[in-house]
């Protein structure tokens, strides 16, 4: 028996070579599912699909016991020995070309690790939905308004709206949607020849630079351009930071650098905060380069898809867009620029919680091209990299043409009488008067919208809160409703105190609505407008208000921080910060940095023209280093005091933070599970020197949308070791039903 057994085994071991080749060799595709299974899966590629399956295309694969068909991203291909267990086979190939280059695939792998996010989620974030959904569908023809022949009749109002929307090529569906008309209206316009199919040939894409005399760069601009030119022409990566006040000519340097990039046959990506994607910014780039793809959040799926294809084909030399434009599929990338690089909107608030600055650095490094960051107030992270010598800082020390920076007057709100006119102190009022009398305009910043920021009972001090959030309700006029700025809930405010039943709840604190009322009352001769999230909901209203301000149809513009961003209005003689304390005392270690940045930005709005300018900052903390530095136009002074503080605490940029937010309907259960999570993190933290776990603690917003919120923070080295610590602690950890948690690496939002 014994011997026979051995013989059997020998028989198996000596299979004929052809059989071994046939059954054990093959082509294997590694795929990632957008949702569901987390880890990459291997599938056999059948011979008939071997030519079509490649990394970056999507495939259909069978999954699970029921072999349910799923769409998945092929991320790698290999040929070789097949594993013992039989592999399932790829069923079909979805895309006729790769949606992602190998480098972009690599980027998604890096991002998944860097921000502790599933690769499938990253892949879906990198590819716009319009691109993903439109894969093989017959492309709907794009229609444009033609020189129609049915001159006999006036178009109906709905037809007119469709024709107005058809100034750019759009699909019938998009036209109907944008115009609020039915498809039948669109079809009728096609029949009568008023809408025609846009010619399929690409629109002229040659750079059409107007013959305008180029400005002579100032010495510091020249030096900055030279610093960008060196890596650009040597074909290597380097990060150059342009540190200069608003109006110092940074944008002019970007434009020149982009020009040289385009002249060298390469493409440039320019990132700006979403709020700065105004026609003003776009036209500045368009007038230089003609062919500019502008990626903004109002694009329809079809438009996005069309632009994505044009960028991928290399036809578009310049891409301008917000955060996600960093994923533009430029095949010949030559330069990346990020304007206002300190803006927190470059960090995505939902998974993947990436920061576009870090993604840009990865791409620029991988492609061996320069990255240019510009700001009047660089993030401390950016400053620290420059001080360490990793990045090059170029200073643009003054405003172009030598216009003086405006004098900053600080008004101490603790002084008696400083508040005699509601939120406007006598000195601020005098400043406004001075500007108006001098023929100038005024910008007033108040970072709280609504009328009153809280509603309180004068008898017992009870504050009316949102029933589902731990947030005081804001009173909004004209209908006197309470709105929760956490969840958006709109409620009728009670007439009496819900706590002590006393009458007469008092609206306290000033929001932009009340400020607008006070300004109108104090300056009845001035045209006043307000710009905040409430007034800019309608598409295009933001631009319309700015346009009216530029055309001087508005004298005083009141608004939240959206008025403070990178806009050039030479007629502004006074910029006022109504309450600089609002942001200063937020429970966030970056509160001082943000305040200094905001006040500096606002101050930069004033005095950009020949009329000169002033800035008035109202605060109860005039001696705070952030405000003193901003008042002295010396952001670097703030950096010098703040960096040692961060270093002593091992806060960013000297340490990393991973924040975990846990939420659930039951306060006790959520607290208990967060405690369990914190214990596991502490056990792991003991093994990583320099790491520590803070919490668990209720999050600053302890309840949101009826969910209790707790958080834990892990502080430690600013690199992969910290993430690995969290990974080890949370590996295989599943929250009980009703509890959800998110992991935020390098958070910029601590509420
Ligand atoms: P920033 O981007 O730093 O705010 P800009 O590049 O927008 O500064 O420049 C501010 C203004 O000065 C713009 O109107 C710009 O056209 C103009 N400008 C920039 N550089 C020069 C220069 N070298 N000579 C003359 N005008 C310039
Ligand atoms: Zn709420």
């Amino acid at each position: 028996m014994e011997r026979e057994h051995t013989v059997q085994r020998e028989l198996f071991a000596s299979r004929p070579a052809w059989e071994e080749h046939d059954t054990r060799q093959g082509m294997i595709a590694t795929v990632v599912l957008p949702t569901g299974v987390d880890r990459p899966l291997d599938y056999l590629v059948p011979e008939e699909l071997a030519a079509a399956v490649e990394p970056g295309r999507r495939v259909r694969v069978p999954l699970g016991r029921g072999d349910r068909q799923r769409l998945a991203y092929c991320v790698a291909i290999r040929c070789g020995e097949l594993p013992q267990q039989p592999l399932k086979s790829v069923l079909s190939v979805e895309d006729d070309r790769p949606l992602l280059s190998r480098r972009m695939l690599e980027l998604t792998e890096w991002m998944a690790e860097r921000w502790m996010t599933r690769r499938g989620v990253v892949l879906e974030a990198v590819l716009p939905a319009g691109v993903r959904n439109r894969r093989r569908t017959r492309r709907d023809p794009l229609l444009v308004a033609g020189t129609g022949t049915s001159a006999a009749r006036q178009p109906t109002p709905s037809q007119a709206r469709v024709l107005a929307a058809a100034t750019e090529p759009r699909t019938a569906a998009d036209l109907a949607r944008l115009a609020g008309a039915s498809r039948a209206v669109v079809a009728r316009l096609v029949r009568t020849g008023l809408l025609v199919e846009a010619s399929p040939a690409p629109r002229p894409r040659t750079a059409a630079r107007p013959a305008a005399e180029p400005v002579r760069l100032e010495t510091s601009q020249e030096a900055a351009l030279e610093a960008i030119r060196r890596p650009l022409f040597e074909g290597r990566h380097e990060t150059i930071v342009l540190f200069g006040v608003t109006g110092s000519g940074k944008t002019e340097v970007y434009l020149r650098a982009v020009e040289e990039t385009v002249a060298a046959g390469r493409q440039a990506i320019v990132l700006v905060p979403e709020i700065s994607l105004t026609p003003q910014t776009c036209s500045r780039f368009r007038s230089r380069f003609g062919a500019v793809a502008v990626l903004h959040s109002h694009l329809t799926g079809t438009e996005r898809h069309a632009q994505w294809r044009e960028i991928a084909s290399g036809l578009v030399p310049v891409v301008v867009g917000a955060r996600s434009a960093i994923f533009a599929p430029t095949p010949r990338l030559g330069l990346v620029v990020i304007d206002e690089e300190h803006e927190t909107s470059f960090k995505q608030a939902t998974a993947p919680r990436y920061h576009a600055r870090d993604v840009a650095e990865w791409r620029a490094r991988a492609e061996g091209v320069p990255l240019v960051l510009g700001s009047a107030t660089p993030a401390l992270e950016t400053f620290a990299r420059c001080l360490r010598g990793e990045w090059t800082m170029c200073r643009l020390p003054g405003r172009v043409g030598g216009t003086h920076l405006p004098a900053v007057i600080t008004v101490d709100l603790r002084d008696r009488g400083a508040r005699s006119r509601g939120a406007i102190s006598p000195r601020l009022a005098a400043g406004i008067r001075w500007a108006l009398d001098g023929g100038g305009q005024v910008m007033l910043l108040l970072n709280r919208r609504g009328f009153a920021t809280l509603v309180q009972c004068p008898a017992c001090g009870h504050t009316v809160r949102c029933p589902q959030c731990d947030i005081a309700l804001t009173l909004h006029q004209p209908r006197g409703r309470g709105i929760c700025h956490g969840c958006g809930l709109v409620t009728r405010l009670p007439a009496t105190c819900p706590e002590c039943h006393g009458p007469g709840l008092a609206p306290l604190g000033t929001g932009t609505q009340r400020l607008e009322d006070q300004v109108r009352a104090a300056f009845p001769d001035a045209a006043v407008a307000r710009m905040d999230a409430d007034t800019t909901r309608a598409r295009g209203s933001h631009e319309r208000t700015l346009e009216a301000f530029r055309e001087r149809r508005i004298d005083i513009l009141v608004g939240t921080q959206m008025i403070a961003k990178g806009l050039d209005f030479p007629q502004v003689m006074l910029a006022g910060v109504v309450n600089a304390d609002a942001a200063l005392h937020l429970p966030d270690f970056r509160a001082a940095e943000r305040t200094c940045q905001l006040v500096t930005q606002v101050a930069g709005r004033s005095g950009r023209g020949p009329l000169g300018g002033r800035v008035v900052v109202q605060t109860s903390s005039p001696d705070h280093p952030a405000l003193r530095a901003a008042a002295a136009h010396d952001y670097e002074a703030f950096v010098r005091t703040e960096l040692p503080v961060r270093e002593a605490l091992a806060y960013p940029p000297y340490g990393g933070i991973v924040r975990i937010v846990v939420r659930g309907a039951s306060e006790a259960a959520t607290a208990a599970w967060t405690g369990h999570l914190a214990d596991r993190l502490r056990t792991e933290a003991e093994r990583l020197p320099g790491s520590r776990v803070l919490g668990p603690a209720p999050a600053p917003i302890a309840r949101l949308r009826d969910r209790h919120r707790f958080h834990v923070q892990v502080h430690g080295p600013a690199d992969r070791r910290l993430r690995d610590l969290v990974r080890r602690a949370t590996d295989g950890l599943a929250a009980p039903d009703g509890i959800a948690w998110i992991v935020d690496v390098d958070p910029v939002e601590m509420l």
Side-chain angles (χ1 to χ4, degrees):
M1 278 300 267
E2 182 68 40
R3 203 184 138 74
E4 259 181 48
H5 190 75
T6 317
V7 171
Q8 280 281 21
R9 278 169 66 173
E10 275 168 4
L11 205 69
F12 263 94
S14 57
R15 278 184 172 185
W18 58 265
E19 194 183 337
E20 182 163 319
H21 183 80
D22 235 31
T23 56
R24 304 187 69 88
Q25 298 281 312
M27 185 172 172
I28 300 169
T30 305
V31 308
V32 171
L33 293 160
T35 55
V37 185
D38 201 350
R39 67 203 150 78
L41 301 171
D42 281 353
Y43 284 87
L44 187 67
V45 179
E47 212 156 293
E48 65 273 18
L49 293 181
V53 176
E54 74 179 305
R57 293 201 208 191
R58 289 170 304 172
V59 294
R60 288 203 179 267
V61 294
L63 187 74
R65 285 218 198 92
D67 280 345
R68 219 156 56 83
Q69 271 197 37
R70 293 288 306 269
L71 197 55
Y73 292 85
C74 174
V75 296
I77 288 278
R78 62 178 196 277
C79 291
E81 200 161 306
L82 298 177
Q84 290 293 324
Q85 301 86 353
L87 286 175
K88 291 182 185 178
S89 291
V90 172
L91 301 171
S92 62
V93 180
E94 196 69 8
D95 306 305
D96 51 15
R97 68 184 85 176
L99 299 181
L100 292 155
S101 66
R102 303 226 170 204
R103 184 156 288 144
M104 292 306 276
L105 281 173
E106 245 177 79
L107 172 66
T108 59
E109 188 176 13
W110 175 79
M111 283 178 68
E113 191 285 315
R114 177 69 178 73
W115 286 286
M116 299 188 67
T117 310
R118 312 175 30 152
R119 181 117 180 247
V121 173
V122 176
L123 283 160
E124 300 268 274
V126 165
L127 282 173
V131 175
R132 281 184 268 128
N133 303 339
R134 227 142 288 266
R135 28 109 196 161
R136 261 194 196 163
T137 48
R138 176 183 56 83
R139 272 185 78 185
D140 290 331
L142 295 177
L143 303 169
V144 288
T147 49
T149 45
S150 79
R153 277 200 286 158
Q154 278 285 98
T156 64
S158 55
Q159 286 179 338
R161 286 200 306 277
V162 172
L163 290 174
T167 46
E168 283 192 36
R170 295 198 153 105
T171 63
D174 283 343
L175 285 175
R177 195 179 49 74
L178 286 170
S182 71
R183 289 289 288 266
V185 174
V186 177
R188 185 165 169 76
L189 286 169
V190 172
R191 280 199 302 279
T192 53
L194 287 170
L195 280 180
V196 296
E197 222 174 282
S199 79
R203 279 162 281 155
R205 281 300 183 189
T206 46
R209 188 156 181 252
E213 190 71 13
V215 294
R216 264 184 72 95
L217 292 186
E218 309 219 335
T219 319
S220 55
Q221 286 176 309
E222 198 60 72
L225 182 60
E226 191 50 38
I228 303 168
R229 225 187 248 137
R230 275 194 298 269
L232 188 66
F233 293 125
E234 288 165 18
R236 63 180 168 82
H237 168 66
E238 185 176 337
T239 298
I240 297 107
V241 178
L242 303 193
F243 174 35
V245 295
T246 28
S248 61
K250 298 184 295 295
T251 309
E252 188 59 40
V253 176
Y254 309 150
L255 289 165
R256 297 292 175 98
V258 171
E259 226 163 55
E260 305 218 2
T261 307
V262 174
R266 313 282 291 270
Q267 293 167 290
I269 298 177
V270 180
L271 300 187
V272 298
E274 174 80 38
I275 195 88
S276 307
L277 270 179
T278 55
Q280 202 182 3
T281 312
C282 301
S283 66
R284 204 161 164 194
F285 277 89
R286 282 221 169 94
S287 69
R288 291 278 178 107
F289 305 107
V292 175
V294 178
L295 303 177
H296 55 77
S297 58
H298 292 313
L299 292 178
T300 66
T302 317
E303 289 166 343
R304 214 170 268 280
H305 188 219
Q307 291 213 334
W308 198 85
R309 288 204 148 182
E310 284 189 4
I311 295 165
S313 70
L315 286 172
V316 186
V318 183
V319 180
V320 179
R323 184 178 61 229
S324 64
I326 194 56
F327 304 123
T330 49
R332 294 177 286 109
L333 186 65
L335 176 72
V336 184
V337 175
I338 305 183
D339 190 29
E340 311 280 2
E341 64 86 35
H342 64 280
E343 279 288 321
T344 52
S345 65
F346 286 120
K347 166 105 164 145
Q348 179 151 296
T350 55
R353 296 178 166 77
Y354 70 90
H355 200 300
R357 192 204 292 130
D358 298 315
V359 176
E361 192 193 10
W362 189 96
R363 267 197 92 172
R365 186 183 298 281
E367 314 230 7
V369 306
L371 167 65
V372 177
L373 308 176
S375 175
T377 54
L380 289 191
E381 281 79 358
T382 299
F383 237 102
R385 304 271 307 254
C386 294
L387 291 175
R388 283 206 294 268
E390 296 169 22
W391 291 354
T392 309
M393 183 172 271
C394 297
R395 284 159 214 269
L396 304 180
R399 283 184 168 172
V400 172
T403 18
H404 286 297
L405 287 166
V408 179
I409 300 152
T410 309
V411 175
D412 188 345
L413 291 178
R414 295 168 303 181
D415 280 356
R416 283 196 312 130
R419 276 174 169 277
S420 63
R421 286 202 213 185
I424 305 168
S425 66
R427 295 197 68 182
L428 178 54
I432 296 173
R433 188 36 69 208
W434 168 80
L436 295 176
D437 289 348
Q441 289 174 297
V442 174
M443 278 183 153
L444 293 179
L445 173 108
L446 177 60
N447 232 352
R448 294 163 159 183
R449 63 197 170 86
F451 185 83
T453 50
L454 53 135
V455 179
Q456 204 175 48
C457 171
C460 75
H462 174 77
T463 302
V464 183
R465 293 184 171 268
C466 172
Q468 47 184 23
C469 306
D470 181 27
I471 294 174
L473 287 180
T474 303
L475 172 65
H476 282 245
Q477 296 294 22
R479 272 173 281 175
R481 292 182 305 182
I483 299 184
C484 171
H485 287 184
C487 69
L489 185 83
V490 181
T491 54
R492 195 190 297 274
L493 282 166
T496 55
C497 175
E499 199 67 17
C500 73
H501 307 290
L505 288 167
L508 300 181
T510 303
T512 45
Q513 280 185 348
R514 181 184 286 201
L515 178 64
E516 183 190 3
D517 287 359
Q518 291 176 354
V519 172
R520 280 185 200 283
F523 302 96
D525 54 328
V528 181
R530 171 165 59 93
M531 195 164 89
D532 57 28
D534 295 322
T535 66
T536 53
R537 265 184 237 293
R539 189 175 163 175
S541 55
H542 175 240
E543 288 78 16
R544 274 196 297 279
T545 308
L546 292 179
E547 199 52 41
F549 193 59
R550 186 168 308 113
E551 290 170 359
R552 308 229 35 190
R553 284 181 278 127
I554 298 170
D555 299 313
I556 304 178
L557 183 62
V558 171
T560 52
Q561 56 185 348
M562 68 172 68
I563 68 170
K565 312 292 181 190
L567 305 163
D568 186 14
F569 297 110
Q571 309 292 322
V572 172
M573 285 175 69
L574 184 100
V577 180
V578 175
N579 184 350
D581 307 337
L584 198 55
H585 302 301
L586 285 176
D588 184 331
F589 71 91
R590 288 195 186 87
E593 179 183 350
R594 299 263 166 79
T595 303
C596 191
Q597 289 167 341
L598 185 62
V599 175
T600 305
Q601 297 282 335
V602 178
R605 302 293 106 231
S606 179
R608 295 188 73 163
L611 301 174
R614 285 183 199 165
V615 180
V616 175
V617 178
Q618 303 191 139
T619 172
S620 304
S621 318
D623 294 325
H624 194 287
L627 294 177
R628 286 172 68 144
H633 297 291
D634 191 359
Y635 180 70
E636 230 174 327
F638 169 73
V639 174
R640 280 193 300 272
T641 56
E642 183 71 1
L643 279 179
V645 175
R646 299 276 184 92
E647 188 164 22
L649 295 168
Y651 270 64
Y654 300 98
I657 298 179
V658 178
R659 180 180 186 232
I660 302 180
V661 182
V662 184
R663 59 189 154 80
S666 154
E667 183 171 6
T670 309
W673 193 76
T674 315
H676 170 63
L677 175 66
D679 289 342
R680 290 180 63 144
L681 289 165
R682 283 212 166 80
T683 307
E684 289 297 334
E686 276 166 19
R687 290 193 239 151
L688 179 62
S691 70
R692 68 206 151 115
V693 177
L694 307 184
I701 295 178
R703 197 163 61 102
L704 190 65
R705 293 191 174 86
D706 261 337
R707 295 283 179 278
H708 294 273
R709 301 169 80 242
F710 289 82
H711 67 167
V712 188
Q713 293 180 33
V714 191
H715 289 231
D719 56 40
R720 184 169 180 152
R721 287 172 294 168
L722 190 66
R723 302 189 289 276
D724 284 340
L725 180 168
V726 176
R727 260 189 281 268
R728 280 194 304 273
T730 56
D731 193 29
L733 185 67
D737 278 353
I739 291 180
W741 53 299
I742 61 108
V743 178
D744 192 356
V745 179
D746 299 335
V748 299
E749 165 73 81
M750 308 296 284
L751 293 179

